[in-house]
Tab-separated table of all heavy atoms in Angstrom:
chain	number	residue	atom	x	y	z
A	28	GLU	N	-11.202	0.836	7.659
A	28	GLU	CA	-11.166	0.257	9.008
A	28	GLU	C	-10.916	-1.243	8.983
A	28	GLU	O	-10.163	-1.770	9.791
A	28	GLU	CB	-12.495	0.559	9.729
A	28	GLU	CG	-12.616	1.983	10.231
A	28	GLU	CD	-11.551	2.345	11.250
A	28	GLU	OE1	-11.161	1.457	12.045
A	28	GLU	OE2	-11.084	3.493	11.235
A	29	ASP	N	-11.538	-1.949	8.056
A	29	ASP	CA	-11.366	-3.392	8.014
A	29	ASP	C	-10.000	-3.808	7.454
A	29	ASP	O	-9.617	-4.972	7.525
A	29	ASP	CB	-12.479	-4.049	7.187
A	29	ASP	CG	-12.532	-3.517	5.763
A	29	ASP	OD1	-11.938	-2.449	5.508
A	29	ASP	OD2	-13.158	-4.166	4.917
A	30	GLU	N	-9.245	-2.831	6.939
A	30	GLU	CA	-7.896	-3.121	6.430
A	30	GLU	C	-6.816	-2.588	7.360
A	30	GLU	O	-5.636	-2.883	7.185
A	30	GLU	CB	-7.683	-2.469	5.051
A	30	GLU	CG	-8.674	-2.872	3.971
A	30	GLU	CD	-8.496	-2.042	2.723
A	30	GLU	OE1	-8.455	-0.797	2.822
A	30	GLU	OE2	-8.387	-2.643	1.640
A	31	ARG	N	-7.204	-1.828	8.347
A	31	ARG	CA	-6.261	-1.080	9.176
A	31	ARG	C	-5.230	-1.985	9.844
A	31	ARG	O	-4.043	-1.654	9.912
A	31	ARG	CB	-7.037	-0.284	10.225
A	31	ARG	CG	-6.210	0.782	10.926
A	31	ARG	CD	-7.080	1.579	11.895
A	31	ARG	NE	-6.336	2.644	12.533
A	31	ARG	CZ	-6.157	3.851	12.031
A	31	ARG	NH1	-6.705	4.148	10.860
A	31	ARG	NH2	-5.464	4.759	12.674
A	32	GLU	N	-5.648	-3.121	10.301
A	32	GLU	CA	-4.722	-4.017	11.014
A	32	GLU	C	-3.571	-4.463	10.107
A	32	GLU	O	-2.422	-4.546	10.547
A	32	GLU	CB	-5.467	-5.242	11.535
A	32	GLU	CG	-4.590	-6.177	12.361
A	32	GLU	CD	-5.365	-7.345	12.922
A	32	GLU	OE1	-6.617	-7.340	12.834
A	32	GLU	OE2	-4.728	-8.284	13.454
A	33	ALA	N	-3.880	-4.709	8.834
A	33	ALA	CA	-2.848	-5.168	7.904
A	33	ALA	C	-1.815	-4.078	7.622
A	33	ALA	O	-0.686	-4.385	7.220
A	33	ALA	CB	-3.481	-5.618	6.598
A	34	TYR	N	-2.184	-2.812	7.851
A	34	TYR	CA	-1.285	-1.698	7.569
A	34	TYR	C	-0.664	-1.118	8.842
A	34	TYR	O	-0.016	-0.071	8.785
A	34	TYR	CB	-2.033	-0.588	6.823
A	34	TYR	CG	-2.352	-0.941	5.389
A	34	TYR	CD1	-3.494	-1.673	5.066
A	34	TYR	CD2	-1.513	-0.555	4.354
A	34	TYR	CE1	-3.788	-2.015	3.750
A	34	TYR	CE2	-1.801	-0.887	3.034
A	34	TYR	CZ	-2.934	-1.620	2.738
A	34	TYR	OH	-3.220	-1.956	1.437
A	35	THR	N	-0.838	-1.792	9.968
A	35	THR	CA	-0.318	-1.297	11.248
A	35	THR	C	0.835	-2.181	11.701
A	35	THR	O	0.720	-3.408	11.717
A	35	THR	CB	-1.421	-1.299	12.317
A	35	THR	OG1	-2.545	-0.527	11.846
A	35	THR	CG2	-0.909	-0.695	13.611
A	36	ASP	N	1.971	-1.541	12.069
A	36	ASP	CA	3.124	-2.327	12.515
A	36	ASP	C	3.036	-2.619	14.005
A	36	ASP	O	2.057	-2.238	14.683
A	36	ASP	CB	4.439	-1.637	12.152
A	36	ASP	CG	4.637	-0.296	12.880
A	36	ASP	OD1	3.921	-0.037	13.866
A	36	ASP	OD2	5.531	0.468	12.450
A	37	SER	N	4.059	-3.271	14.548
A	37	SER	CA	4.035	-3.715	15.947
A	37	SER	C	4.052	-2.559	16.933
A	37	SER	O	3.685	-2.721	18.097
A	37	SER	CB	5.231	-4.629	16.222
A	37	SER	OG	6.452	-3.957	15.938
A	38	GLU	N	4.461	-1.399	16.478
A	38	GLU	CA	4.502	-0.228	17.358
A	38	GLU	C	3.288	0.670	17.165
A	38	GLU	O	3.231	1.769	17.716
A	38	GLU	CB	5.786	0.561	17.108
A	38	GLU	CG	7.054	-0.235	17.426
A	38	GLU	CD	8.313	0.565	17.188
A	38	GLU	OE1	8.190	1.723	16.712
A	38	GLU	OE2	9.403	0.056	17.490
A	39	GLY	N	2.335	0.215	16.394
A	39	GLY	CA	1.097	0.961	16.215
A	39	GLY	C	1.115	1.977	15.097
A	39	GLY	O	0.131	2.717	14.914
A	40	PHE	N	2.193	2.024	14.321
A	40	PHE	CA	2.253	2.973	13.214
A	40	PHE	C	1.413	2.450	12.049
A	40	PHE	O	1.556	1.295	11.633
A	40	PHE	CB	3.699	3.186	12.754
A	40	PHE	CG	3.834	4.121	11.578
A	40	PHE	CD1	3.789	5.493	11.756
A	40	PHE	CD2	3.970	3.625	10.289
A	40	PHE	CE1	3.891	6.358	10.671
A	40	PHE	CE2	4.076	4.475	9.206
A	40	PHE	CZ	4.040	5.855	9.402
A	41	VAL	N	0.548	3.290	11.512
A	41	VAL	CA	-0.322	2.909	10.409
A	41	VAL	C	0.291	3.399	9.092
A	41	VAL	O	0.470	4.602	8.891
A	41	VAL	CB	-1.739	3.489	10.574
A	41	VAL	CG1	-2.626	3.072	9.397
A	41	VAL	CG2	-2.353	3.060	11.893
A	42	TYR	N	0.618	2.458	8.220
A	42	TYR	CA	1.193	2.807	6.924
A	42	TYR	C	0.097	3.232	5.955
A	42	TYR	O	-1.048	2.766	6.050
A	42	TYR	CB	1.938	1.605	6.334
A	42	TYR	CG	3.212	1.287	7.069
A	42	TYR	CD1	3.220	0.362	8.115
A	42	TYR	CD2	4.414	1.902	6.719
A	42	TYR	CE1	4.384	0.068	8.790
A	42	TYR	CE2	5.582	1.611	7.389
A	42	TYR	CZ	5.577	0.693	8.426
A	42	TYR	OH	6.727	0.406	9.102
A	43	PRO	N	0.419	4.118	5.027
A	43	PRO	CA	-0.586	4.522	4.039
A	43	PRO	C	-0.906	3.369	3.092
A	43	PRO	O	-0.086	2.486	2.862
A	43	PRO	CB	0.083	5.677	3.298
A	43	PRO	CG	1.551	5.439	3.474
A	43	PRO	CD	1.707	4.813	4.832
A	44	LYS	N	-2.105	3.396	2.561
A	44	LYS	CA	-2.496	2.434	1.540
A	44	LYS	C	-2.186	3.077	0.185
A	44	LYS	O	-2.789	4.080	-0.196
A	44	LYS	CB	-3.989	2.119	1.644
A	44	LYS	CG	-4.481	1.133	0.600
A	44	LYS	CD	-5.973	0.881	0.748
A	44	LYS	CE	-6.470	-0.084	-0.320
A	44	LYS	NZ	-7.923	-0.338	-0.202
A	45	ILE	N	-1.233	2.505	-0.529
A	45	ILE	CA	-0.750	3.108	-1.767
A	45	ILE	C	-1.300	2.357	-2.972
A	45	ILE	O	-1.245	1.130	-3.040
A	45	ILE	CB	0.797	3.101	-1.806
A	45	ILE	CG1	1.344	3.979	-0.671
A	45	ILE	CG2	1.316	3.595	-3.160
A	45	ILE	CD1	2.838	3.886	-0.496
A	46	THR	N	-1.820	3.116	-3.902
A	46	THR	CA	-2.284	2.567	-5.178
A	46	THR	C	-1.406	3.125	-6.290
A	46	THR	O	-1.177	4.336	-6.355
A	46	THR	CB	-3.744	2.950	-5.447
A	46	THR	OG1	-4.574	2.436	-4.409
A	46	THR	CG2	-4.213	2.390	-6.793
A	47	LEU	N	-0.908	2.232	-7.143
A	47	LEU	CA	-0.203	2.639	-8.349
A	47	LEU	C	-1.228	2.554	-9.474
A	47	LEU	O	-1.568	1.473	-9.943
A	47	LEU	CB	1.000	1.728	-8.612
A	47	LEU	CG	2.030	1.650	-7.479
A	47	LEU	CD1	3.192	0.753	-7.872
A	47	LEU	CD2	2.526	3.043	-7.100
A	48	ALA	N	-1.740	3.710	-9.841
A	48	ALA	CA	-2.915	3.763	-10.721
A	48	ALA	C	-2.527	3.812	-12.193
A	48	ALA	O	-1.545	4.445	-12.584
A	48	ALA	CB	-3.772	4.970	-10.373
A	49	SER	N	-3.320	3.121	-13.003
A	49	SER	CA	-3.180	3.163	-14.454
A	49	SER	C	-4.021	4.299	-15.005
A	49	SER	O	-5.044	4.670	-14.434
A	49	SER	CB	-3.626	1.841	-15.074
A	49	SER	OG	-2.870	0.747	-14.585
A	50	ILE	N	-3.608	4.857	-16.138
A	50	ILE	CA	-4.400	5.873	-16.821
A	50	ILE	C	-5.399	5.219	-17.759
A	50	ILE	O	-6.536	5.660	-17.885
A	50	ILE	CB	-3.478	6.845	-17.593
A	50	ILE	CG1	-2.640	7.660	-16.604
A	50	ILE	CG2	-4.288	7.771	-18.497
A	50	ILE	CD1	-1.646	8.593	-17.257
A	51	ASN	N	-4.977	4.142	-18.387
A	51	ASN	CA	-5.856	3.401	-19.293
A	51	ASN	C	-6.926	2.673	-18.469
A	51	ASN	O	-6.598	1.798	-17.671
A	51	ASN	CB	-5.029	2.393	-20.098
A	51	ASN	CG	-5.837	1.676	-21.162
A	51	ASN	OD1	-7.067	1.689	-21.140
A	51	ASN	ND2	-5.154	1.043	-22.097
A	52	PRO	N	-8.201	3.009	-18.633
A	52	PRO	CA	-9.258	2.387	-17.812
A	52	PRO	C	-9.391	0.887	-18.045
A	52	PRO	O	-9.983	0.189	-17.225
A	52	PRO	CB	-10.524	3.135	-18.244
A	52	PRO	CG	-10.213	3.683	-19.602
A	52	PRO	CD	-8.757	3.993	-19.591
A	53	ALA	N	-8.827	0.373	-19.126
A	53	ALA	CA	-8.909	-1.063	-19.406
A	53	ALA	C	-7.874	-1.867	-18.623
A	53	ALA	O	-7.918	-3.090	-18.629
A	53	ALA	CB	-8.731	-1.318	-20.904
A	54	CYS	N	-6.958	-1.169	-17.943
A	54	CYS	CA	-5.881	-1.851	-17.211
A	54	CYS	C	-6.068	-1.676	-15.708
A	54	CYS	O	-6.455	-0.598	-15.238
A	54	CYS	CB	-4.521	-1.310	-17.634
A	54	CYS	SG	-4.149	-1.581	-19.378
A	55	ALA	N	-5.782	-2.724	-14.969
A	55	ALA	CA	-5.983	-2.713	-13.520
A	55	ALA	C	-4.908	-1.888	-12.818
A	55	ALA	O	-3.786	-1.750	-13.305
A	55	ALA	CB	-5.961	-4.151	-12.988
A	56	ASP	N	-5.279	-1.331	-11.656
A	56	ASP	CA	-4.317	-0.646	-10.806
A	56	ASP	C	-3.517	-1.687	-10.013
A	56	ASP	O	-3.889	-2.855	-9.948
A	56	ASP	CB	-5.039	0.284	-9.837
A	56	ASP	CG	-5.815	1.390	-10.550
A	56	ASP	OD1	-5.468	1.687	-11.706
A	56	ASP	OD2	-6.764	1.923	-9.950
A	57	VAL	N	-2.428	-1.233	-9.410
A	57	VAL	CA	-1.612	-2.106	-8.562
A	57	VAL	C	-1.748	-1.629	-7.120
A	57	VAL	O	-1.448	-0.463	-6.814
A	57	VAL	CB	-0.124	-2.078	-8.989
A	57	VAL	CG1	0.724	-2.912	-8.036
A	57	VAL	CG2	0.025	-2.577	-10.420
A	58	GLN	N	-2.225	-2.504	-6.238
A	58	GLN	CA	-2.338	-2.187	-4.824
A	58	GLN	C	-1.070	-2.641	-4.112
A	58	GLN	O	-0.671	-3.798	-4.192
A	58	GLN	CB	-3.560	-2.886	-4.216
A	58	GLN	CG	-4.889	-2.495	-4.838
A	58	GLN	CD	-5.236	-1.031	-4.589
A	58	GLN	OE1	-4.782	-0.422	-3.625
A	58	GLN	NE2	-6.059	-0.468	-5.480
A	59	VAL	N	-0.418	-1.717	-3.422
A	59	VAL	CA	0.851	-2.008	-2.756
A	59	VAL	C	0.584	-2.587	-1.371
A	59	VAL	O	-0.047	-1.946	-0.522
A	59	VAL	CB	1.707	-0.727	-2.643
A	59	VAL	CG1	2.986	-1.002	-1.854
A	59	VAL	CG2	2.026	-0.192	-4.028
A	60	ARG	N	1.050	-3.793	-1.151
A	60	ARG	CA	0.924	-4.423	0.163
A	60	ARG	C	2.029	-3.919	1.078
A	60	ARG	O	3.188	-3.782	0.662
A	60	ARG	CB	1.022	-5.936	0.035
A	60	ARG	CG	-0.198	-6.572	-0.602
A	60	ARG	CD	0.018	-8.053	-0.851
A	60	ARG	NE	0.643	-8.743	0.271
A	60	ARG	CZ	1.007	-10.020	0.268
A	60	ARG	NH1	0.804	-10.753	-0.818
A	60	ARG	NH2	1.566	-10.565	1.333
A	61	PRO	N	1.719	-3.655	2.343
A	61	PRO	CA	2.719	-3.087	3.262
A	61	PRO	C	3.836	-4.057	3.631
A	61	PRO	O	4.884	-3.632	4.115
A	61	PRO	CB	1.889	-2.691	4.486
A	61	PRO	CG	0.701	-3.596	4.435
A	61	PRO	CD	0.401	-3.790	2.989
A	62	ASP	N	3.624	-5.362	3.416
A	62	ASP	CA	4.640	-6.344	3.800
A	62	ASP	C	5.621	-6.653	2.669
A	62	ASP	O	6.498	-7.497	2.824
A	62	ASP	CB	3.971	-7.644	4.263
A	62	ASP	CG	3.062	-8.245	3.201
A	62	ASP	OD1	2.486	-7.465	2.411
A	62	ASP	OD2	2.930	-9.478	3.151
A	63	LEU	N	5.477	-5.984	1.531
A	63	LEU	CA	6.380	-6.211	0.405
A	63	LEU	C	7.195	-4.948	0.132
A	63	LEU	O	6.755	-3.833	0.426
A	63	LEU	CB	5.591	-6.592	-0.852
A	63	LEU	CG	4.799	-7.905	-0.770
A	63	LEU	CD1	4.001	-8.111	-2.054
A	63	LEU	CD2	5.735	-9.085	-0.529
A	64	GLU	N	8.384	-5.153	-0.420
A	64	GLU	CA	9.267	-4.026	-0.652
A	64	GLU	C	8.664	-3.061	-1.663
A	64	GLU	O	8.134	-3.471	-2.703
A	64	GLU	CB	10.616	-4.517	-1.183
A	64	GLU	CG	11.639	-3.394	-1.265
A	64	GLU	CD	12.509	-3.469	-2.516
A	64	GLU	OE1	12.162	-4.205	-3.444
A	64	GLU	OE2	13.513	-2.762	-2.557
A	65	PHE	N	8.749	-1.777	-1.336
A	65	PHE	CA	8.238	-0.737	-2.226
A	65	PHE	C	9.150	0.476	-2.128
A	65	PHE	O	9.503	0.921	-1.030
A	65	PHE	CB	6.812	-0.334	-1.829
A	65	PHE	CG	6.303	0.872	-2.580
A	65	PHE	CD1	5.933	0.758	-3.911
A	65	PHE	CD2	6.222	2.110	-1.971
A	65	PHE	CE1	5.474	1.871	-4.624
A	65	PHE	CE2	5.757	3.215	-2.665
A	65	PHE	CZ	5.383	3.090	-3.996
A	66	ARG	N	9.567	0.992	-3.271
A	66	ARG	CA	10.417	2.183	-3.301
A	66	ARG	C	9.991	3.101	-4.435
A	66	ARG	O	9.637	2.633	-5.517
A	66	ARG	CB	11.893	1.806	-3.504
A	66	ARG	CG	12.536	1.162	-2.307
A	66	ARG	CD	14.044	0.995	-2.513
A	66	ARG	NE	14.352	0.123	-3.626
A	66	ARG	CZ	15.059	0.492	-4.683
A	66	ARG	NH1	15.499	1.726	-4.804
A	66	ARG	NH2	15.318	-0.376	-5.651
A	67	ILE	N	10.055	4.380	-4.169
A	67	ILE	CA	9.868	5.391	-5.210
A	67	ILE	C	11.228	5.643	-5.839
A	67	ILE	O	12.199	5.944	-5.145
A	67	ILE	CB	9.294	6.697	-4.625
A	67	ILE	CG1	7.901	6.452	-4.056
A	67	ILE	CG2	9.248	7.791	-5.691
A	67	ILE	CD1	7.329	7.662	-3.306
A	68	ILE	N	11.302	5.503	-7.157
A	68	ILE	CA	12.555	5.733	-7.857
A	68	ILE	C	12.675	7.182	-8.322
A	68	ILE	O	13.712	7.799	-8.180
A	68	ILE	CB	12.673	4.795	-9.082
A	68	ILE	CG1	12.692	3.341	-8.621
A	68	ILE	CG2	13.928	5.118	-9.899
A	68	ILE	CD1	13.884	2.994	-7.747
A	69	GLY	N	11.601	7.716	-8.859
A	69	GLY	CA	11.668	9.094	-9.315
A	69	GLY	C	10.373	9.593	-9.899
A	69	GLY	O	9.406	8.862	-10.064
């Protein structure tokens, strides 16, 4: 809820919060910000 505004566009559409997760527990995950370019390649 406290993040919802950052993921909502001007028309009220709420984007998903995407995490690019690491398998190695010693490495940090990557949190995808909705205002930056993001594409699935494959």
